[in-house]
DNA sequence: TGTACATCAGTGAACGCGCGTTCACTGATGTAC
DNA sequence: TGTACATCAGTGAACGCGCGTTCACTGATGTAC
């Protein structure tokens, strides 16, 4: 079926960008290359996204939505123990980043900052899942402001997973892993790291 | 003094790249623009760096050297208490990143990975300062392999400062800071975060 | 049910741009004797 | 101390390239009557 109209070009372009970025990194992105991959003229994307930045913004937004899902899945995996929920959220965060390194870089890159409202919202949504996890651990009701200790814990957790993910993506953990594949190294070292950070900053579950 | 020969074009080009990247971010880099800023023909850089990548590699290498110095300065500031040394190393790491956000991004960007030996070395040197701090805290002699707990602590520390720095650079901490300037937020929240992570993963100093 | 027409989603050629790199060159420097 | 010459560090014009965006256009879709 090769009709004049594509059907769902919008999604196809997002998908093509995704794939390009996954294969060759954010820096390899170009509107023309994406159009080529989608089998469409270089002017076509403008109808859906305005300009190149618009497309990237849409991809980043989708990325944050994926990240949010990953965090929620981690949460569920953790069961009822607040600390376990945080642990699995953290693992989910890093796993998402390692599964989509190009997109992850894009999501936190400059040049997209503050431009788009939808992007901001999706970014905040991811953050709020983390915050909710910390609220649970500190027994702070929704709506109530976070106390200092809770803020610190939230910031520590977010930083540690974000940093771990970035270092792994940048290839900086490979030397630490030695001859082991990176995934194996992550599987053992990340939970250990998170355990320490969580124990150090989050109160234990009440019996 | 406008002679035909520049005198120290190599340094001048590195400086110009530094400035450009600081003002407009890594993405704004171009060989021609840097040559323009150095007041030199676009072909001149090739004599010193081969190609554009060569120049960026040199800048990144200098960046890691600066980071290493910042970590050592932090170390010194911490005095004899191993935990304090680590705390100030961490603060030094983040402060360096915030003072040179463009360069920091460049240092950990893809596209430079593994290419250059000098770059690798300077990167490792920075890492080794952190490692040395952890060795001291765990009383592991140089040359001895790190035990698991020490590895975990090292990785936790590195991740947390790297993540905090990246989030701050990406503007993701601004919402947390509210109306406060970011620097003020960092000054209070970063030590608190590091305190928690260090307490959670590094043994206390022996009396 | 059929037809006119507005709207939408794509085409493809063309634009101007800034880029990295090449090339033959030239001016300055330093070294051998 | 002077001179010839090799070497080095820069010039500036030119190359070809891929890019994002524009523009007038056209084919398909859907809606009003």
């Amino acid at each position: 079926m090769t009709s004049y109209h594509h059907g769902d070009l919008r999604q196809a372009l997002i998908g093509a960008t995704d794939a390009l970025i996954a294969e060759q990194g954010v820096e390899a992105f170009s509107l023309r290359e994406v159009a080529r991959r989608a089998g469409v003229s270089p002017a076509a994307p403008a109808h859906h996204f305005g300009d190149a930045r618009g497309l990237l913004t849409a991809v980043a937004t989708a990325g944050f939505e994926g990240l949010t899902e990953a965090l929620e899945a981690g949460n569920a995996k953790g069961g009822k123990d607040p600390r376990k929920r945080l642990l699995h959220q953290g693992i989910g965060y890093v796993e998402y980043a390692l599964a989509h390194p190009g997109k992850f870089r894009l999501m936190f890159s400059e040049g997209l900052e503050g431009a788009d409202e939808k992007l901001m919202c999706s970014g905040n949504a991811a953050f709020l899942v983390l915050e909710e996890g910390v609220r649970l651990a500190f027994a702070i009701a929704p709506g109530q402001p976070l106390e200092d200790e809770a803020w610190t814990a939230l910031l520590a957790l977010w930083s540690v997973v974000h940093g771990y993910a970035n270092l792994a993506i940048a290839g900086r953990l490979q030397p630490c892993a030695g001859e082991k594949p990176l995934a194996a190294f992550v599987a053992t070292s990340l939970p250990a790291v998170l355990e320490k950070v969580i124990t150090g900053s989050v109160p234990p579950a009440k019996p």
Side-chain angles (χ1 to χ4, degrees), chain A:
Chain A
M1 93 129 220
T2 47
S3 76
Y4 191 90
H5 287 93
H6 180 285
D8 196 1
L9 184 53
R10 192 188 154 84
Q11 270 313 307
L13 289 171
I14 291 182
T17 303
D18 239 10
L20 171 58
I21 269 179
E23 288 165 27
Q24 333 217 135
V26 212
E27 345 218 71
F29 169 83
S30 93
L31 203 49
R32 288 184 101 104
E33 174 61 20
V34 165
R36 231 169 273 138
R37 283 174 177 239
V40 111
S41 96
H47 284 272
H48 296 274
F49 300 102
D51 57 9
R53 192 197 182 86
L55 172 51
L56 286 177
T57 300
V59 171
T61 303
F64 276 118
E65 286 164 2
L67 179 58
T68 301
E69 283 171 26
L71 293 179
E72 276 163 354
N75 239 340
K77 208 173 178 182
K80 289 194 174 173
D81 181 347
R83 281 179 157 185
K84 270 201 181 144
R85 288 171 80 88
L86 287 173
L87 170 69
H88 284 98
Q89 262 194 67
I91 293 173
Y93 193 101
V94 174
E95 279 176 350
Y96 183 83
L98 293 187
H100 312 276
K103 191 151 52 175
F104 187 77
R105 275 206 135 107
L106 172 66
M107 287 154 62
F108 292 95
S109 70
E110 24 183 5
L112 253 54
E113 298 173 21
D116 186 83
E117 198 183 353
K118 262 191 179 174
L119 176 60
M120 295 291 286
C121 286
S122 63
N124 289 341
F127 176 74
L128 285 178
V129 180
L130 263 181
E131 185 184 314
E132 201 189 293
V134 170
R135 286 199 118 87
L136 190 64
F138 281 81
I140 303 174
Q144 296 290 322
L146 264 57
E147 52 196 72
D148 280 4
E149 293 272 295
W151 261 114
T152 300
L154 176 52
L155 208 48
L157 269 167
W158 194 17
S159 293
V160 84
V161 291
H162 193 70
Y164 191 102
N166 271 294
L167 289 172
I169 288 175
R172 294 274 152 192
L173 296 188
Q174 195 57 67
C176 302
E179 74 271 19
K180 271 204 275 186
L182 188 62
F185 177 77
V186 171
T188 66
S189 69
L190 178 58
V193 165
L194 283 171
E195 200 77 54
K196 290 287 181 188
V197 174
I198 292 171
T199 320
S201 60
V202 169
K206 287 173 190 165

